[in-house]
Amino acid sequence: QKREISNFDYLMYLNTLAGRSYNDYMQYPVFPWILADYHSETLNLTNPHTFRDLSKPMGAQTVERKRKFIQRYNEVEKNLSAQCHYCTHYSSAIIVASYLVRMEPFTQTFCSLQGGSFDVADRMFHSVKSTWESASRDNMSDVRELIPEFFYLPEFLTNVNHFELGCMQDGTVLGDVQLPPWADGDPHKFILLHRQALESDYVSAHLHRWIDLIFGHKQHGPAAVEAVNTYHPYFYGDKMDLNNIKDPLIKSTILGFISNFGQIPKQV
């Protein structure tokens, strides 16, 4: 409110309070998608339509998508073991490693999580625009948010190590990450403008709504249900007392689930 610290610093502080750390891929710092405009030639930070709706989780960014997740919650599909909106998570080890796959040691981490090799090229992180469209609109199993590097580290967007990441079905060879037109193909410009967007007046005025979803009172319980923001119970690690689970198979299943699919931050 007083502009005495940046939005970036504030988010890092909250992540640390909530137990998130660069030292743990499973509880890596989580940052929000800020923008919804990845097609314009220039970025207008005075237009509210340039920005993502920070009051809604990624699963509710469009009316149709929100309706489908509410329907899932109400129906409790047969293959689900618990009532929830999302069976995937907005931050996990594989999401972090996939974003940073062009940089070591994340390249090796990604490959080890994938069973020793890169993923199918079409599923690799190759375009900011297509990743946004997948997470906000197109893919019902993708509700990922961002990581801090999107706001300060241009190097992760370039394939400086010349890894052979494969070829997509349309013939595109994967190399550097495809950037929005307003970045002019320059990773440094992308980071600069993206950071300016994070620190913009619009985001400063609305960021608390996203914080409510991730770290605050809309994280779980009735407020989360109303906000279309509930995840599989296994994701809420601090709400589960693993010491009371006697069956070793169930216990290992839960731990495996958490390590593979992510963990909700501690409520601040």
Side-chain angles (χ1 to χ4, degrees):
Q1 286 182 325
K2 295 180 180 179
R3 299 293 198 270
E4 290 176 2
I5 62 170
S6 67
N7 289 333
F8 182 92
D9 288 338
Y10 183 44
L11 286 171
M12 283 305 302
Y13 181 66
L14 289 173
N15 270 285
T16 303
L17 279 179
R20 314 295 285 191
S21 167
Y22 282 116
N23 299 322
D24 186 351
Y25 294 159
M26 291 181 288
Q27 297 191 78
Y28 207 77
V30 56
F31 269 57
W33 284 97
I34 290 295
L35 299 171
D37 182 355
Y38 297 96
H39 55 270
S40 297
E41 293 295 328
T42 56
L43 195 61
N44 183 359
L45 297 181
T46 63
N47 182 356
H49 296 293
T50 298
F51 299 91
R52 166 254 182 105
D53 187 341
L54 288 160
S55 69
K56 296 182 174 69
M58 290 304 291
Q61 288 297 307
T62 70
V63 175
E64 178 64 14
R65 185 169 162 92
K66 179 180 178 181
R67 183 189 66 78
K68 287 180 179 177
F69 279 120
I70 292 174
Q71 183 180 9
R72 170 191 282 181
Y73 181 88
N74 292 333
E75 289 178 353
V76 189
E77 296 176 1
K78 293 175 182 175
N79 63 332
L80 304 182
S81 59
Q83 190 175 37
C84 61
H85 293 109
Y86 314 116
C87 298
T88 52
H89 200 256
Y90 50 76
S91 177
S92 66
I94 193 67
I95 289 172
V96 172
S98 69
Y99 279 144
L100 300 172
V101 69
R102 290 163 178 79
M103 295 176 63
E104 291 289 15
F106 302 99
T107 312
Q108 294 304 315
T109 301
F110 181 84
C111 289
S112 65
L113 290 169
Q114 281 293 126
S117 62
F118 291 120
D119 198 0
V120 176
D122 287 82
R123 290 202 298 257
M124 296 277 286
F125 172 53
H126 65 278
S127 160
V128 177
K129 178 175 180 284
S130 65
T131 303
W132 159 255
E133 290 172 348
S134 171
S136 67
R137 189 186 72 198
D138 297 339
N139 188 345
M140 290 292 285
S141 62
D142 182 4
V143 292
R144 78 184 79 177
E145 293 278 8
L146 298 183
I147 54 175
E149 283 82 353
F150 272 84
F151 300 94
Y152 68 81
L153 189 70
E155 286 78 10
F156 87 98
L157 298 165
T158 59
N159 188 19
V160 290
N161 294 310
H162 305 293
F163 292 119
E164 294 185 6
L165 302 172
C167 185
M168 297 173 65
Q169 288 184 351
D170 64 3
T172 303
V173 177
L174 260 61
D176 297 346
V177 175
Q178 295 171 13
L179 302 174
W182 45 260
D184 295 327
D186 182 351
H188 289 82
K189 185 173 181 180
F190 172 84
I191 295 294
L192 176 67
L193 291 174
H194 206 215
R195 184 64 174 267
Q196 287 177 1
L198 178 63
E199 305 300 338
S200 67
D201 288 341
Y202 179 91
V203 172
S204 296
H206 295 84
L207 188 58
H208 64 285
R209 299 183 182 277
W210 181 83
I211 290 168
D212 287 343
L213 296 169
I214 306 300
F215 303 107
H217 77 288
K218 293 182 180 179
Q219 186 195 80
H220 64 272
V225 175
E226 187 177 347
V228 194
N229 192 44
T230 66
Y231 297 81
H232 194 285
Y234 289 174
F235 292 145
Y236 298 86
D238 60 337
K239 300 287 183 292
M240 300 195 66
D241 189 356
L242 293 174
N243 294 323
N244 287 334
I245 299 174
K246 304 303 180 188
D247 188 323
L249 183 60
I250 295 176
K251 194 169 186 176
S252 66
T253 299
I254 293 173
L255 288 171
F257 197 95
I258 293 169
S259 65
N260 282 313
F261 295 106
Q263 201 167 339
I264 301 288
K266 292 176 183 174
Q267 192 174 30
V268 177

